[in-house]
Amino acid sequence: MASQDERATGMDLQKLIRLITLGLAVAAVVKELRKPAEERTWNGALGFVPYDFRVPTLARVKERMWDPEGAHLISPRVFGVGWTLNVGRLVELVRQRVSAAG
């Protein structure tokens, strides 16, 4: 069982990650608002961290979260800052591993 100190450290890490994510989201919005209105795309990257504040579409959800034939296991989030898991690719990799073992 985790001690109180271990739980507190885990909670501190979660708070830090949330704070960083919020800071990146604010920075991304500021970046977009500094552009002339006709040049705003509401998606891009802050350094190496991707962001996308466009209204999510089913096609984008499918492309980023369920693309078994995709090259990447991790892809940019459908909405927000950071990355998401391409579950379709993960399932495909597991299927390949199971079929190769059996």
Side-chain angles (χ1 to χ4, degrees):
M1 192 165 215
S3 71
Q4 187 173 358
D5 289 339
E6 289 171 335
R7 284 192 301 267
T9 302
M11 289 175 57
D12 290 343
L13 180 59
Q14 287 177 342
K15 287 179 182 178
L16 178 62
I17 291 170
R18 286 183 186 144
L19 184 62
I20 291 169
T21 302
L22 179 62
L24 286 168
V26 168
V29 170
V30 168
K31 178 182 174 183
E32 290 295 321
L33 289 175
R34 286 186 175 176
K35 297 177 186 178
E38 62 275 0
E39 293 179 21
R40 294 179 189 149
T41 60
W42 297 103
N43 69 313
L46 290 168
F48 65 92
V49 181
Y51 67 88
D52 196 337
F53 294 115
R54 298 174 294 175
V55 175
T57 63
L58 186 57
R60 202 171 321 123
V61 170
K62 190 174 179 186
E63 168 194 333
R64 295 185 181 176
M65 297 182 76
W66 189 265
D67 184 12
E69 302 304 317
H72 302 285
L73 190 58
I74 304 293
S75 59
R77 291 184 66 134
V78 176
F79 184 85
V81 176
W83 299 270
T84 192
L85 180 64
N86 179 352
V87 178
R89 183 68 183 142
L90 178 63
V91 168
E92 182 62 24
L93 291 171
V94 169
R95 284 181 182 161
Q96 289 173 3
R97 176 74 57 119
V98 167
S99 66

